[in-house]
Amino acid sequence: MEEYKNLFSDSIRNELKSFAEYRTAYQEIYTFRNILSVLQWDSEITLPEEGRAERGLQIGLLSGLIHSKYAGENFYKLATKAREENEQKILPGQEQRRIEFERLFQDLDRSRLLSRELVEEFSITTSKAHSIWAKARKENRFEDFAPILSKIVELSKKQAECYGYQTEPYDALLENYEPGERAANLEKLFFNLKSNLKPLIARGKKIPNPFQKEIPIYLQNKLGETLPNILGLSSKISRLDASEHPFSTSLGSKDKRITTRYDLKDPLSSIFSILHETGHSLYEAGISEIEGGPSPLHDSVSLGIHESQSRLWENQVGRSLEFWEMYYPILLENLNIKESELSFSDLFSYINQSAPSLIRVEADQITYNLHIILRFEIERELINGKIQVYELPEIWNSKMKEMFGIVVSSDREGVLQDVHWSGGAFGYFPTYTLGNIYSAQFFQTFLKQNPNFQTTVKEKKDFSSLLNWLRQNVHWKGKFYSAEDLIRSATDTNPDSSYLVQYLEKKIIELEST
Amino acid sequence: MEEYKNLFSDSIRNELKSFAEYRTAYQEIYTFRNILSVLQWDSEITLPEEGRAERGLQIGLLSGLIHSKYAGENFYKLATKAREENEQKILPGQEQRRIEFERLFQDLDRSRLLSRELVEEFSITTSKAHSIWAKARKENRFEDFAPILSKIVELSKKQAECYGYQTEPYDALLENYEPGERAANLEKLFFNLKSNLKPLIARGKKIPNPFQKEIPIYLQNKLGETLPNILGLSSKISRLDASEHPFSTSLGSKDKRITTRYDLKDPLSSIFSILHETGHSLYEAGISEIEGGPSPLHDSVSLGIHESQSRLWENQVGRSLEFWEMYYPILLENLNIKESELSFSDLFSYINQSAPSLIRVEADQITYNLHIILRFEIERELINGKIQVYELPEIWNSKMKEMFGIVVSSDREGVLQDVHWSGGAFGYFPTYTLGNIYSAQFFQTFLKQNPNFQTTVKEKKDFSSLLNWLRQNVHWKGKFYSAEDLIRSATDTNPDSSYLVQYLEKKIIELEST
């Protein structure tokens, strides 16, 4: 992408007047999208309780404006004219601009299939649903969440019909998160993965929580604040807060925010959320570093690729021996724990334990994928109209019994645990396991090229070789490649789940030897 | 305003179709304005350092959108049509709607005098200027702030020319904050006040800070969090944060946020900021409680009236004996101070001390008005082109010498101390002293009607009679009256500074007797 930085030179701007015009309009849409992200971030972190209803109106109005600007006639005409101009004029960067228009129109033609009314209704409904879900989860009352969830499912099905699909409605929604992916393909992929994980899961074991006392939140926060900086996410462009469900979000090219949640009894819960969300934000920060933006190429490839970045830092890095040899003293110091109260080996075994459990976000890295497969199977049938919202608790619980062999005692720890459906994000869950698959493949390739990485982490707290590799091979590619092509370009092999299985097997062997 | 609640009944909505259309457009503008307030709040409180430049673009874009919607042809036509319809149809609420249109067009005709480009440039420039001012203040380098301040002055003069004026450019800007007020009138008013305050100031005395040790911020914050609730501002619709310069802002009808700043050596600094900002937010919350909004009548009358609400809680209430008899034990408990370490009489004398000082926001309630008069005189000449930005430090310092008899040793404690000019808010300062005048007049009237107030405060921590009086006589009137008419309606007398002088004289006598 060497030519990219020249895209906006004066000479090209003068030659490509329509391109410059279309890019100005794109910049405006990008800015409004960031404003929307500010509203959403504030809704999760700082909004007073009774302000929520009116905030829903604000978000609805702005979402509608963005949709009408992006999917409206004016922008479509500007982009079409700019695309034609680019085809006619042979100038440096022509091929890259061709790809930029390809990506743009893939998305634009889809967006234009939804009416402004449907977008606004969806936005207002999901904004309301968030607090209803949070309350229902807290009070363990699925019946309070069911009516608005039914409404969201109905609106999502309407979306699927507007988008269109070849085989099943769910594919139309999956396309929002993983362009080109299909449910039938995932079904096969997940079936294979399940088979390979089965023997590993049988070898797993549960390790008791090694923390002997509750750790107050302010200490956990003090520890957590150290992490993004160590990994390479500067506090000059980021901040850490607490929220119901951890997330990361981009509010501008130099404003990347992450959140975590605190468990008094287990400070690792927060640490691994921070590792995960930092991975997402490093990807976003890297994309924003590409010159010549914002543009449709200044974007992530897919949620699977996005998730590969968070999983890489959370698991491949964050559960490794060298990371904990480096971070163990920092943890002890910040949490006011003596070495005698928490042995390294107990801690490290706990970090790499594997055992069936109820909560996805607290699951180990092996069984985690089963949680995803369960959700994928359920939401696919929900969107395809094979099951109804009121049946969800029963179906959830019986699948948990079948796949994990465990009984769900409350919906709070069952069907109500995740935020995703309250946001209408059907098709999102499978990208988590795709992320796990991709992350193992990226990290193995990096390690082969950087055999000293483990030493520099352990001895110098230095992750820069990894961050630079990711920047060059993933972040700075933006949306130039498809997910498949990006993986081939970075790893010289096709997407392949065997890297993940090998990695997890190594982890099981480590665990067995403790 | 009894009829107001019926304004949007179905029958009137059907009869007044143009009115309903105009109100829908107004609601949209109101919502975008609140979104802008979210961006601005976030800029002050939570924005990472390097995100500032792009935030400026976001604020500029949204300000431009709001201006073009509000001052654009479409809204003007809708409002004109609705106004004509209201004149033609004799229906309940007609007179109130007539006043609504009067207020709207007063403002609209002014707004339309500024070009979108000027509004955007002003917004982007002042957004940038904020951080430059903050840094310059911190580093005591006026020369770093001067270039962008010159730019702001230049843009403000352009605004004044666009608005037009009869006597002097400064009047055109004053009108933004205190409709109908004129510099020549303020000059007289302030001259009288100065004369009356002179003998009082001579009788004032400085009382040493009674706090014997530094109070950590988390304790001050814990204490501060108790205050808004006690006064009647629920935490369900508000929040308290820390910022460089304390402020209050409305992000929605049920989202009123205040900020304070902490002085380790003097926790009263933060307490009085919270009292002040809570007063502003109670006014905003009261306005939002008026039914049938948002509308041009759902707004504050003027900044002088707004300030009367903050000053009333800060000074009339917050420096009274009964308030401190109630709050003293709460302060001791929350700050971990023993009664033996801080006597009530030392504390109360300190709260009501009067002595010339450098910093406006920390000045006592008597000399405070001199700080305002100084700023009024300077900014008036600056906008009228009689003096230049580079002369400010010298002029500031010589006026401080002349009026207060004190030498300014650094610009940080002189011309750089206030945030206002970095925001281009010329014409804002005089409203502070107007607020002091009005607050004394409101509070004396209230006390005459509620002789038991002091007892209920002291014995029951109950301020509800005052809050209800303010709601009924000020908050729930919205922008129905002019400032002058509102004061007459609430107090049965004309605006009159003698109430303030009497009140301050009483304070001096209290101080002399300690």
Side-chain angles (χ1 to χ4, degrees):
Chain A
M1 301 181 75
E2 295 74 11
E3 288 159 6
Y4 214 80
K5 60 184 71 167
N6 297 320
L7 254 185
F8 252 21
S9 69
D10 282 346
S11 63
I12 286 181
R13 189 187 281 270
N14 288 336
E15 290 274 2
L16 293 171
K17 286 196 191 306
S18 297
F19 185 78
E21 263 183 75
Y22 131 77
R23 274 296 201 87
T24 301
Y26 189 86
Q27 162 88 51
E28 191 179 291
I29 292 162
Y30 165 84
T31 303
F32 278 124
R33 283 177 175 163
N34 282 331
I35 296 173
L36 181 61
S37 297
V38 178
L39 291 185
Q40 288 164 332
W41 179 88
D42 183 86
S43 301
E44 302 294 324
I45 313 298
T46 41
L47 182 67
E49 188 181 328
E50 292 189 7
R52 196 159 289 284
E54 199 166 308
R55 176 56 54 82
L57 295 179
Q58 294 168 359
I59 287 175
L61 178 67
L62 193 57
S63 303
L65 176 78
I66 292 166
H67 179 70
S68 73
K69 280 195 181 279
Y70 183 64
E73 278 313 306
N74 185 48
F75 184 65
Y76 201 85
K77 276 183 198 157
L78 280 178
T80 304
K81 213 174 144 195
R83 187 186 213 176
E84 285 164 8
E85 178 190 62
N86 186 55
E87 278 160 22
Q88 284 153 14
K89 295 200 180 177
I90 296 169
L91 283 169
Q94 186 185 32
E95 171 61 10
Q96 186 170 309
R97 284 189 295 276
R98 198 191 59 72
I99 295 169
E100 175 175 339
F101 287 117
E102 200 177 296
R103 296 281 176 277
L104 175 67
F105 279 94
Q106 267 165 9
D107 189 60
L108 213 48
D109 289 332
R110 264 176 77 73
S111 295
R112 286 161 59 87
L113 299 169
L114 302 185
S115 68
R116 179 168 174 158
E117 290 70 34
L118 184 55
V119 170
E120 283 194 25
E121 195 182 358
F122 189 79
S123 168
I124 290 169
T125 308
T126 52
S127 175
K128 272 188 211 153
H130 184 273
S131 54
I132 296 173
W133 161 75
K135 192 159 175 279
R137 179 189 174 190
K138 199 174 158 197
E139 295 170 1
N140 194 31
R141 289 175 58 86
F142 179 78
E143 60 272 35
D144 291 350
F145 180 47
I148 199 153
L149 180 58
S150 299
K151 172 92 179 158
I152 293 170
V153 170
E154 181 203 315
L155 291 172
S156 299
K157 285 178 179 174
K158 270 193 200 169
Q159 284 187 344
E161 294 308 317
C162 293
Y163 285 136
Y165 47 86
Q166 286 196 312
T167 318
E168 53 188 286
Y170 184 74
D171 280 345
L173 302 183
L174 185 57
E175 182 74 13
N176 285 334
Y177 306 104
E178 204 63 26
E181 195 55 88
R182 295 290 172 265
N185 184 53
L186 288 178
E187 191 184 328
K188 276 185 232 155
L189 187 71
F190 288 173
F191 181 81
N192 285 335
L193 187 64
K194 232 198 286 194
S195 320
N196 284 318
L197 291 181
K198 218 170 180 179
L200 296 185
I201 289 170
R203 287 159 67 188
K205 60 181 172 185
K206 197 166 167 54
I207 307 288
N209 179 345
F211 292 91
Q212 294 170 10
K213 55 185 182 193
E214 293 199 345
I215 312 286
I217 287 172
Y218 78 93
L219 287 181
Q220 294 197 36
N221 177 261
K222 198 173 127 226
L223 175 66
E225 292 274 5
T226 64
L227 251 184
N229 261 309
I230 291 177
L231 306 183
L233 184 67
S234 159
S235 63
K236 288 185 178 177
I237 64 159
S238 68
R239 53 178 286 134
L240 171 67
D241 292 275
S243 65
E244 178 84 16
H245 187 93
F247 67 94
S248 72
T249 178
S250 174
L251 282 62
S253 59
K254 293 188 173 179
D255 186 359
K256 314 296 180 185
R257 304 190 187 180
I258 65 176
T259 73
T260 189
R261 66 174 162 206
Y262 297 104
D263 179 343
L264 287 174
K265 290 183 183 155
D266 184 0
L268 293 180
S269 165
S270 159
I271 288 299
F272 281 96
S273 290
I274 294 171
L275 280 160
H276 180 99
E277 304 304 342
T278 298
H280 281 306
S281 278
L282 284 171
Y283 184 27
E284 290 286 336
I287 290 170
S288 295
E289 283 163 6
I290 306 172
E291 293 190 43
S295 86
L297 291 181
H298 289 75
D299 205 348
S300 60
V301 176
S302 71
L303 280 203
I305 295 295
H306 223 310
E307 194 68 8
S308 76
Q309 300 306 293
S310 55
R311 294 303 164 134
L312 190 148
W313 292 96
E314 178 189 358
N315 293 337
Q316 307 286 329
V317 172
R319 297 183 197 275
S320 68
L321 189 63
E322 58 275 14
F323 178 84
W324 283 99
E325 283 173 338
M326 177 276 291
Y327 202 60
Y328 173 64
I330 298 174
L331 179 137
L332 293 181
E333 192 196 326
N334 280 282
L335 300 186
N336 286 348
I337 295 175
K338 289 181 206 123
E339 202 173 330
S340 59
E341 295 170 317
L342 178 70
S343 82
F344 181 83
S345 67
D346 285 356
L347 181 70
F348 191 65
S349 302
Y350 182 60
I351 285 165
N352 284 289
Q353 72 171 330
S354 172
S357 66
L358 284 166
I359 306 294
R360 177 183 60 87
V361 293
E362 287 162 10
D364 65 88
Q365 54 189 337
I366 303 176
T367 59
Y368 186 93
N369 299 295
L370 287 191
H371 285 276
I372 293 309
I373 294 169
L374 176 147
R375 284 155 179 76
F376 163 68
E377 288 173 1
I378 291 176
E379 67 175 23
R380 184 187 185 189
E381 301 229 300
L382 196 59
I383 295 301
N384 290 345
K386 305 248 173 82
I387 60 174
Q388 304 301 320
V389 164
Y390 71 87
E391 302 172 279
L392 284 179
E394 204 190 317
I395 294 170
W396 184 284
N397 297 349
S398 82
K399 275 189 187 281
M400 281 300 290
K401 188 88 204 323
E402 177 204 325
M403 290 167 70
F404 293 80
I406 48 182
V407 173
V408 180
S409 60
S410 80
D411 291 337
R412 187 190 355 231
E413 298 185 304
V415 69
L416 282 174
Q417 69 182 269
D418 292 306
V419 73
H420 302 63
W421 292 344
S422 77
F426 299 104
Y428 191 123
F429 279 123
T431 66
Y432 287 130
T433 283
L434 290 177
N436 284 333
I437 293 167
Y438 300 157
S439 71
Q441 197 163 349
F442 284 138
F443 195 63
Q444 284 311 306
T445 308
F446 161 76
L447 275 189
K448 254 183 243 161
Q449 294 169 17
N450 295 269
N452 293 326
F453 174 68
Q454 285 147 332
T455 318
T456 57
V457 165
K458 194 171 139 182
E459 292 172 5
K460 298 183 185 165
K461 301 187 182 76
D462 181 1
F463 294 83
S464 59
S465 61
L466 175 58
L467 182 53
N468 286 331
W469 190 92
L470 290 171
R471 282 172 172 155
Q472 274 154 24
N473 290 284
V474 182
H475 304 179
W476 293 349
K477 304 291 187 193
K479 209 177 183 171
F480 195 75
Y481 297 112
S482 69
E484 218 179 306
D485 287 346
L486 180 74
I487 285 159
R488 270 197 288 267
S489 117
T491 69
D492 267 338
T493 49
N494 288 323
D496 184 347
S497 70
S498 65
Y499 294 92
L500 177 62
V501 175
Q502 281 162 31
Y503 160 76
L504 293 174
E505 188 166 18
K506 197 184 129 228
K507 283 285 157 182
I508 281 289
I509 293 167
E510 272 179 17
L511 187 67
E512 286 171 337
S513 71
T514 62
Chain B
M1 301 183 74
E2 295 75 13
E3 288 158 3
Y4 214 81
K5 61 184 69 164
N6 296 320
L7 253 186
F8 252 22
S9 71
D10 283 346
S11 63
I12 286 184
R13 189 187 282 271
N14 288 336
E15 290 274 0
L16 292 171
K17 285 198 192 303
S18 297
F19 185 78
E21 262 183 76
Y22 132 77
R23 274 296 200 88
T24 301
Y26 189 86
Q27 163 88 53
E28 193 179 291
I29 292 162
Y30 165 84
T31 303
F32 277 123
R33 282 176 176 163
N34 282 331
I35 295 173
L36 182 62
S37 297
V38 178
L39 291 186
Q40 287 163 334
W41 179 88
D42 184 86
S43 300
E44 301 294 323
I45 313 298
T46 41
L47 181 66
E49 188 182 329
E50 292 190 6
R52 196 159 289 282
E54 199 165 310
R55 177 55 56 80
L57 294 178
Q58 294 168 359
I59 287 175
L61 178 67
L62 193 57
S63 303
L65 176 80
I66 292 166
H67 179 70
S68 73
K69 279 194 182 282
Y70 184 63
E73 278 313 305
N74 186 48
F75 184 66
Y76 201 85
K77 277 184 196 155
L78 281 177
T80 304
K81 212 173 146 193
R83 186 186 214 177
E84 286 164 8
E85 179 190 61
N86 186 56
E87 277 160 23
Q88 284 152 14
K89 296 198 179 177
I90 296 167
L91 283 167
Q94 187 186 33
E95 171 62 10
Q96 186 170 311
R97 284 189 294 277
R98 197 192 59 72
I99 294 169
E100 174 174 340
F101 287 116
E102 201 176 295
R103 296 280 177 278
L104 175 67
F105 280 93
Q106 266 164 9
D107 189 60
L108 214 47
D109 289 332
R110 265 179 74 74
S111 296
R112 286 161 59 86
L113 299 169
L114 302 185
S115 68
R116 179 168 176 159
E117 290 69 34
L118 184 55
V119 170
E120 284 194 25
E121 197 183 354
F122 189 77
S123 168
I124 291 171
T125 308
T126 52
S127 175
K128 273 188 210 154
H130 184 275
S131 55
I132 295 173
W133 162 75
K135 193 159 174 280
R137 178 189 174 190
K138 200 173 157 198
E139 295 170 1
N140 194 32
R141 289 174 60 84
F142 179 77
E143 62 270 36
D144 292 350
F145 180 47
I148 199 154
L149 181 58
S150 299
K151 172 92 180 160
I152 293 170
V153 170
E154 179 203 317
L155 292 171
S156 300
K157 286 179 179 175
K158 271 193 199 168
Q159 285 187 343
E161 294 308 317
C162 293
Y163 287 135
Y165 48 85
Q166 288 197 311
T167 317
E168 53 188 287
Y170 184 75
D171 279 347
L173 303 183
L174 185 59
E175 182 75 15
N176 285 333
Y177 306 105
E178 204 61 27
E181 194 58 85
R182 295 290 172 265
N185 184 53
L186 288 179
E187 191 184 326
K188 276 184 234 156
L189 188 71
F190 288 174
F191 181 82
N192 286 335
L193 187 62
K194 234 199 284 194
S195 320
N196 284 319
L197 291 181
K198 217 170 180 179
L200 297 184
I201 290 171
R203 288 159 65 189
K205 59 180 170 183
K206 196 165 169 57
I207 307 288
N209 180 345
F211 292 91
Q212 294 170 10
K213 54 186 182 192
E214 293 199 344
I215 313 287
I217 287 172
Y218 79 94
L219 287 181
Q220 295 197 37
N221 176 261
K222 199 175 126 220
L223 176 65
E225 292 275 6
T226 64
L227 250 184
N229 259 307
I230 291 177
L231 306 183
L233 183 66
S234 160
S235 63
K236 288 186 178 175
I237 64 159
S238 68
R239 54 177 287 135
L240 170 66
D241 293 275
S243 65
E244 178 82 16
H245 188 92
F247 67 95
S248 73
T249 177
S250 174
L251 283 62
S253 59
K254 293 187 173 180
D255 185 359
K256 314 294 182 187
R257 304 190 186 179
I258 64 175
T259 73
T260 188
R261 67 174 162 205
Y262 298 104
D263 178 343
L264 288 174
K265 291 182 183 156
D266 184 0
L268 294 181
S269 163
S270 159
I271 288 300
F272 281 97
S273 289
I274 294 171
L275 281 160
H276 180 99
E277 303 305 341
T278 297
H280 280 305
S281 278
L282 285 171
Y283 184 28
E284 290 286 334
I287 291 169
S288 296
E289 283 163 7
I290 305 170
E291 292 189 45
S295 85
L297 291 181
H298 289 74
D299 206 346
S300 59
V301 177
S302 71
L303 279 203
I305 295 295
H306 223 309
E307 194 68 8
S308 75
Q309 300 306 294
S310 55
R311 295 301 164 136
L312 190 147
W313 292 96
E314 179 191 356
N315 294 335
Q316 307 287 327
V317 172
R319 297 185 197 275
S320 69
L321 189 63
E322 58 275 15
F323 178 85
W324 283 100
E325 284 174 336
M326 177 279 287
Y327 202 60
Y328 173 64
I330 298 174
L331 178 136
L332 293 180
E333 192 195 327
N334 281 280
L335 301 186
N336 287 346
I337 296 175
K338 289 180 204 126
E339 204 173 329
S340 59
E341 295 169 317
L342 177 71
S343 84
F344 181 82
S345 68
D346 286 354
L347 181 69
F348 191 65
S349 302
Y350 182 61
I351 285 165
N352 285 288
Q353 71 172 331
S354 173
S357 65
L358 284 166
I359 307 294
R360 176 182 60 86
V361 293
E362 286 162 10
D364 65 88
Q365 55 189 336
I366 303 175
T367 59
Y368 187 91
N369 300 295
L370 288 191
H371 285 276
I372 294 308
I373 294 169
L374 175 148
R375 284 156 180 75
F376 163 68
E377 289 173 1
I378 291 176
E379 68 176 23
R380 186 188 184 190
E381 301 231 297
L382 196 59
I383 296 300
N384 291 345
K386 304 247 175 82
I387 60 174
Q388 304 301 319
V389 164
Y390 72 87
E391 301 173 279
L392 285 179
E394 204 192 315
I395 294 170
W396 184 284
N397 298 350
S398 82
K399 275 190 187 281
M400 281 300 290
K401 188 87 207 318
E402 177 203 324
M403 291 167 71
F404 292 80
I406 46 181
V407 174
V408 180
S409 59
S410 79
D411 291 336
R412 187 190 355 232
E413 297 184 305
V415 68
L416 281 174
Q417 70 181 269
D418 293 307
V419 74
H420 301 63
W421 291 343
S422 77
F426 298 104
Y428 191 122
F429 280 123
T431 67
Y432 287 130
T433 283
L434 289 176
N436 284 333
I437 293 168
Y438 299 159
S439 71
Q441 196 164 349
F442 283 139
F443 195 64
Q444 284 311 307
T445 309
F446 161 76
L447 275 188
K448 255 184 243 161
Q449 296 168 18
N450 294 269
N452 294 327
F453 174 68
Q454 285 149 333
T455 319
T456 57
V457 165
K458 195 171 137 181
E459 291 173 5
K460 298 182 184 164
K461 300 186 184 74
D462 182 2
F463 294 86
S464 59
S465 60
L466 175 57
L467 182 54
N468 286 332
W469 190 91
L470 291 171
R471 280 170 172 155
Q472 274 154 23
N473 290 284
V474 182
H475 305 180
W476 294 347
K477 303 291 186 192
K479 210 177 181 169
F480 195 75
Y481 297 111
S482 70
E484 217 179 308
D485 287 347
L486 180 74
I487 286 159
R488 269 196 289 267
S489 118
T491 69
D492 268 337
T493 49
N494 288 323
D496 184 348
S497 69
S498 64
Y499 294 93
L500 177 62
V501 175
Q502 280 161 33
Y503 159 76
L504 293 175
E505 188 166 17
K506 196 184 130 228
K507 283 284 156 181
I508 281 288
I509 294 168
E510 270 178 21
L511 188 67
E512 286 171 336
S513 70
T514 61

